[in-house]
Amino acid sequence: MIMKTGFIIVNYNSWEMTEKLALKTASYKNIDAVVVIDNASTDGSYQHLKNMSHKKLHVFQNDRNGGYSFGNNYGAIICRRLGMEIVFIANPDVWVGEAHIQKILDRFADSGYSVLSGVEYDAYGNMCRPPLWKRRQYWDDFGDCFFLWRCCSRKNFGIELYQNAGVQRAEMVKGAFLAVRLEDFLDVEGFDEQIFLYCEERVLAKKMESSGRKIGIVADAQYTHTHSASIQKTYRRVSQQMGILYQSRLYYHQKYSRIGRWRYILLAAAMKVSLLEYQIRDWLRLRKNYKESQ
């Protein structure tokens, strides 16, 4: 069964990476449309991207930077208008081959999964660990605010990958690269647009689980992700990135975990303490860089 397949890339001030990925995926025979959404970039991205030449490419610009969820939801609506059935969603700093796209498409055709992805590798060809994420709970995120807890518990947040499994059931897949059955994605109203960045895959997993839909990972499909390459162009300090991550986690637990007032206050306080740690680390890093430049 041949399904019309789209590929969404949300861009913000990263037009070089976005252009490279868009042109490459547009050349794939198993991709019918590449939809690029520029989230009101300030570096002239839209002017560069709209001049890309390929019949499969569709470039749009939002009137504001509403975040990753906002941009991808808009892209999904465009894909529906174009008649797409399966849609891949990828960060600009992701690279995936045509053969691996096909492996995921084949699994959509012979399974009832609503969300699928491949195995993530870094730029050096190493499998990123853990290959499968657990969906973190309230106390996991509370503990993650503290350095010693992170050191002791990091290995416990993964699920073993069975290489011969074909499709392995997963609690969630990583948001940098995933594919959705578009009808199911839109039925659960896609990503939560109140989340600007990070945790969008956690929200999607929660929505899919609540509606009885399945998420999986295709063990023999892979993609490369240059972690945070696009994000770091806008948010250079780790404390800035962590501030956005913590805001998204807090919102997730308030809306989807339905934590009470006191647990909300406790988590918010722990996050403030953690951000102070990251701010100190950023200051020390800047100080070291300044000394080395003298």
Side-chain angles (χ1 to χ4, degrees), residues 61-73:
Q61 185 179 44
N62 279 321
D63 58 1
R64 63 185 176 89
N65 181 14
Y68 189 74
S69 296
F70 176 73
N72 279 304
N73 283 351

Side-chain angles (χ1 to χ4, degrees), residues 64-90:
R64 63 185 176 89
N65 181 14
Y68 189 74
S69 296
F70 176 73
N72 279 304
N73 283 351
Y74 181 38
I77 292 170
I78 299 299
C79 283
R80 179 173 60 183
R81 292 176 187 169
L82 295 171
M84 301 298 110
E85 298 168 87
I86 302 297
V87 173
F88 287 83
I89 296 171

Side-chain angles (χ1 to χ4, degrees), residues 20-290:
K20 182 179 178 182
L21 179 61
L23 289 172
K24 186 63 177 177
T25 50
S27 72
Y28 294 168
K29 293 179 180 179
N30 51 14
I31 297 294
D32 297 291
V34 176
V35 175
V36 175
I37 305 295
D38 182 66
N39 262 351
S41 294
T42 59
D43 68 344
S45 282
Y46 179 64
Q47 286 68 34
H48 286 285
L49 295 170
K50 71 179 182 178
N51 293 322
M52 288 188 297
S53 179
H54 199 289
K55 63 181 180 180
K56 292 182 183 178
L57 275 169
H58 308 266
V59 181
F60 300 86
Q61 185 179 44
N62 279 321
D63 58 1
R64 63 185 176 89
N65 181 14
Y68 189 74
S69 296
F70 176 73
N72 279 304
N73 283 351
Y74 181 38
I77 292 170
I78 299 299
C79 283
R80 179 173 60 183
R81 292 176 187 169
L82 295 171
M84 301 298 110
E85 298 168 87
I86 302 297
V87 173
F88 287 83
I89 296 171
N91 284 8
D93 54 6
V94 158
W95 194 252
V96 59
E98 184 174 7
H100 295 285
I101 292 283
Q102 190 59 50
K103 289 177 181 179
I104 294 173
L105 288 174
D106 290 343
R107 293 302 181 178
F108 271 117
D110 64 12
S111 73
Y113 282 86
S114 297
V115 182
L116 289 174
S117 185
V119 181
E120 182 186 39
Y121 284 75
D122 64 23
Y124 303 100
N126 303 308
M127 182 190 292
C128 297
R129 298 191 177 278
L132 274 75
W133 281 351
K134 291 182 179 180
R135 197 166 71 239
R136 301 162 71 100
Q137 304 302 315
Y138 173 85
W139 290 111
D140 298 324
D141 284 339
F142 176 81
D144 199 53
C145 294
F146 304 99
F147 177 76
L148 289 178
W149 192 316
R150 290 196 299 271
C151 291
C152 296
S153 62
R154 186 171 297 160
K155 64 181 181 180
N156 296 324
F157 290 119
I159 299 173
E160 184 179 356
L161 176 68
Y162 300 103
Q163 295 285 355
N164 298 321
V167 180
Q168 184 171 337
R169 188 79 177 262
E171 294 183 15
M172 59 185 285
V173 294
K174 301 175 184 181
F177 176 76
L178 53 87
V180 298
R181 202 179 296 273
L182 187 56
E183 180 182 358
D184 293 346
F185 181 79
L186 293 174
D187 188 56
V188 299
E189 300 181 343
F191 294 124
D192 188 327
E193 295 181 10
Q194 295 302 310
I195 289 182
F196 184 80
L197 195 61
Y198 303 119
C199 293
E200 59 281 332
E201 66 275 283
R202 195 191 296 196
V203 170
L204 183 62
K206 183 70 172 179
K207 288 182 173 185
M208 289 295 178
E209 178 190 60
S210 298
S211 62
R213 294 180 168 98
K214 296 192 297 181
I215 298 173
I217 190 164
V218 181
D220 61 347
Q222 64 185 61
Y223 65 95
T224 300
H225 182 206
T226 307
H227 283 269
S228 300
S230 55
I231 294 173
Q232 287 174 358
K233 292 190 70 174
T234 303
Y235 305 104
R236 297 184 181 277
R237 297 185 180 182
V238 176
S239 57
Q240 292 177 307
Q241 298 171 32
M242 294 304 298
I244 298 171
L245 172 62
Y246 284 163
Q247 184 178 21
S248 297
R249 286 180 176 179
L250 196 60
Y251 172 82
Y252 171 83
H253 286 298
Q254 183 181 36
K255 180 173 181 178
Y256 294 97
S257 300
R258 300 186 183 279
I259 57 174
R261 177 186 177 189
W262 292 110
R263 285 207 294 171
Y264 179 93
I265 291 172
L266 182 64
L267 183 57
M271 288 175 171
K272 286 184 179 180
V273 172
S274 182
L275 282 177
L276 180 60
E277 171 200 331
Y278 283 108
Q279 288 165 358
I280 292 171
R281 288 168 61 180
D282 279 336
W283 179 79
L284 291 173
R285 188 179 298 109
L286 288 171
R287 188 166 178 265
K288 179 182 177 182
N289 292 340
Y290 175 77

